[in-house]
Amino acid sequence: MVTMEVIRPGMLTLIQDIGRYGAGAQGLSQGGAVDLHAYCWANYLLGNSANRAMLEITLGQAEFLVQQDCHIAVTGANMQPLLDGMPIPMWQSVAVNKGQALVFGFARSGLRAYLAVQGGFDVPKILGSASSVPRNQLGGLHQGKGLEKGDALSASQVEMSLLQEQEGQSVSRQASARFIPDYSKPIQLRVIESYQHTSFPESEKQRFYSGRYTVSQETDRMGCKLLGEPIHAVVDGIVSEGVALGAIQIPPNGQPIVLLNDRQTLGGYPKLGCVARVDLPRLAQARPGTEVMFKRATLSEVIEQWQQFSRFFGLSL
């Protein structure tokens, strides 16, 4: 049974889950929700299991017609969501009824909003994931492309039945204010030095850590391109190797690129290290012009936070 119909897909609305892991050997990107914090909260607020598919709405201007009574949750960027013209709260579960119109405006802060439905959207999985990856032409409803006007989205009836058995009724949850990010604040990202970090002289590292960068207009789901004081390694390139989520590439122009979910699987630029996994969701919401700074960290400093996050949401990444 159809749960929602797409009336207006907006700038870019993609179906995402946690991502397509284990497919890198086939040259396929990981994909998945770029802001894992907002994604996980949306599922949690509805009582969904951790990997249920939802919509990632970039910039806004999307509209949906509810075709079945259900519960939804909206997290991430504030796009002033309206239900039949009335504002609805974000970061909590909300009951919606058949025939109501759900409309998103432009993002006031942040870049991406997440729309989840109780039970999760029922979308075919490819290599274990429903995630849309445009560069791979894989996933979602249109071979990796964004949703289109007239698309019909259905909630998983299997998941809904399990929720009803476990809860006895629909869940009602709200995120505490301390877990709701302020996307207007400057960003400081912790870096775990690795890869070719010894190829960067200490003077270059000091310039990197003391510098202030801004997010470029060219930023996308593949990587966050930054503009600021250039830094350089003692080598211009390396033999191409696998690149991890959050890796900080330094191309010949010296401007850092933080690699994100739709990154290529191999890279030949020297890399200073990786941004801590728990810090990446904040970068995922950074609009062009946002200020970004970096600080050194050790694996032991950030691993406990990642473990706490993973345990709370039941992730097995």
Side-chain angles (χ1 to χ4, degrees):
M1 184 182 295
V2 175
T3 304
M4 286 187 188
E5 178 186 349
V6 179
I7 304 302
R8 195 163 36 123
M11 303 290 289
L12 178 65
T13 298
L14 298 171
I15 293 170
Q16 298 293 351
D17 53 22
I18 288 175
R20 193 167 283 109
Y21 287 84
Q26 300 178 52
L28 299 175
S29 301
Q30 167 192 322
V34 186
D35 182 347
L36 193 61
H37 177 88
Y39 167 87
C40 286
W41 268 106
N43 269 331
Y44 176 83
L45 293 170
L46 295 169
N48 292 343
S49 54
N51 195 29
R52 300 309 303 176
M54 66 180 69
L55 305 186
E56 180 183 86
I57 304 168
T58 302
L59 292 176
Q61 294 293 286
E63 182 177 352
F64 307 90
L65 179 64
V66 180
Q67 298 281 25
Q68 180 184 10
D69 294 355
C70 60
H71 280 71
I72 64 169
V74 180
T75 60
N78 182 3
M79 297 178 179
Q80 311 154 67
L82 302 175
L83 188 65
D84 281 350
M86 298 297 294
I88 62 169
M90 295 183 59
W91 299 88
Q92 70 179 65
S93 58
V94 177
V96 296
N97 300 316
K98 180 178 179 180
Q100 291 188 300
L102 177 62
V103 179
F104 292 80
F106 280 117
R108 286 184 172 178
S109 63
L111 194 61
R112 298 175 171 95
Y114 291 84
L115 169 60
V117 64
Q118 192 173 30
F121 288 115
D122 191 8
V123 181
K125 293 188 176 184
I126 300 174
L127 297 175
S129 173
S131 287
S132 304
V133 181
R135 68 184 301 268
N136 292 157
Q137 299 180 10
L138 197 67
L141 300 182
H142 304 291
Q143 296 183 318
K145 296 179 182 178
L147 293 182
E148 300 174 357
K149 180 179 179 180
D151 281 342
L153 300 164
S154 300
S156 171
Q157 296 304 308
V158 173
E159 184 83 1
M160 284 290 289
S161 297
L162 290 173
L163 288 170
Q164 290 167 0
E165 290 176 9
Q166 294 168 3
E167 302 287 343
Q169 58 184 358
S170 296
V171 296
S172 178
R173 293 175 175 172
Q174 180 176 353
S176 171
R178 67 192 179 100
F179 295 117
I180 302 175
D182 181 352
Y183 299 128
S184 65
K185 289 184 176 180
I187 302 170
Q188 186 173 63
L189 303 173
R190 291 170 293 180
V191 177
I192 303 158
E193 292 188 358
S194 54
Y195 283 115
Q196 293 78 41
H197 75 99
T198 57
S199 296
F200 292 86
E202 189 59 32
S203 59
E204 295 295 300
K205 289 184 182 180
Q206 289 296 332
R207 184 177 295 112
F208 174 73
Y209 289 117
S210 63
R212 294 174 181 266
Y213 295 89
T214 56
V215 175
S216 163
Q217 292 281 353
E218 298 178 53
T219 291
D220 56 20
R221 284 181 48 88
M222 287 183 63
C224 182
K225 295 185 178 182
L226 301 172
L227 301 174
E229 185 74 18
I231 65 166
H232 299 281
V234 295
V235 295
D236 291 330
I238 60 170
V239 176
S240 291
E241 62 182 358
V243 288
L245 179 65
I248 306 168
Q249 281 192 156
I250 310 296
N253 66 4
Q255 302 295 326
I257 303 172
V258 181
L259 300 181
L260 299 176
N261 298 54
D262 288 4
R263 67 195 180 280
Q264 70 278 16
T265 56
L266 299 174
Y269 293 138
K271 296 170 288 296
L272 197 154
C274 278
V275 172
R277 185 76 178 270
V278 289
D279 291 353
L280 285 174
R282 185 63 185 85
L283 188 62
Q285 295 289 359
R287 303 161 74 109
T290 301
E291 186 176 276
V292 177
M293 294 169 285
F294 297 91
K295 64 177 291 187
R296 275 191 175 102
T298 62
L299 189 59
S300 60
E301 288 178 54
V302 299
I303 194 168
E304 184 176 351
Q305 283 182 269
W306 172 248
Q307 289 174 338
Q308 289 175 348
F309 180 89
S310 299
R311 284 195 295 266
F312 182 80
F313 290 112
L315 300 178
S316 57
L317 304 180

